[in-house]
Amino acid sequence: MAEKNGIYKCSVCGNVVSVIEAHDGELVCCGKPMDLLEEKTKAEEGKEKHVPVIEAIEGGVRVKVGDVPHPMEAEHYIELIQVFVDDKLVVEKRIYPGDEPAAGFCCLAKTEGVKARALCNVHGLWRS
């Protein structure tokens, strides 16, 4: 069974799937079950460039990836930033090589109860 809000990656071709609704069944790609990416935290190696940092800004919140900005090169970059309020996914943004490893979200009026995840194309999924 897929996990709601889970992010899965194919170990063969690299396809990535974000689950909106989870029901019975298995996510399969290239003839193999997809791997559920586990959320890494500050305790993991590489935390200074991967853990999302949430900041209050005028009119919303800003999520930057890493205390030290994450590289945004063609071979190594942040693909996705997701924001959760009280464990519910409320907004996400795709970012690309050459972009800043950060995103502003005007739909949030507070940082209380806000958590974020960032997906690195090389080092996986990280949470605040």
Side-chain angles (χ1 to χ4, degrees):
M1 182 167 141
E3 184 176 302
K4 186 173 183 176
N5 296 322
I7 295 183
Y8 292 78
K9 188 169 187 174
C10 177
S11 62
V12 176
C13 72
N15 278 338
V16 175
V17 173
S18 178
V19 177
I20 296 170
E21 289 291 332
H23 299 283
D24 291 339
E26 183 175 40
L27 295 176
V28 176
C29 188
C30 297
K32 295 184 175 188
M34 295 183 81
D35 298 324
L36 174 63
L37 298 180
E38 297 294 325
E39 296 176 342
K40 300 175 187 172
T41 64
K42 290 183 179 187
E44 307 286 334
E45 185 178 338
K47 63 184 179 248
E48 70 280 350
K49 291 185 181 174
H50 289 100
V51 175
V53 177
I54 301 165
E55 305 170 324
I57 60 171
E58 185 176 332
V61 299
R62 183 175 194 271
V63 178
K64 64 179 187 174
V65 181
D67 290 323
V68 174
H70 190 280
M72 293 298 288
E73 302 162 355
E75 310 79 34
H76 185 197
Y77 61 98
I78 297 299
E79 299 181 79
L80 176 70
I81 296 173
Q82 294 181 315
V83 177
F84 295 79
V85 176
D86 299 326
D87 297 320
K88 294 178 184 172
L89 179 62
V90 294
V91 66
E92 62 186 11
K93 182 171 183 182
R94 287 285 318 267
I95 54 178
Y96 302 91
D99 290 348
E100 179 184 10
F105 300 98
C106 61
C107 60
L108 302 170
K110 61 178 183 154
T111 58
E112 184 179 318
V114 175
K115 294 181 182 170
R117 293 195 310 194
L119 178 60
C120 173
N121 73 317
V122 174
H123 299 107
L125 190 61
W126 294 77
R127 71 173 170 85
S128 59

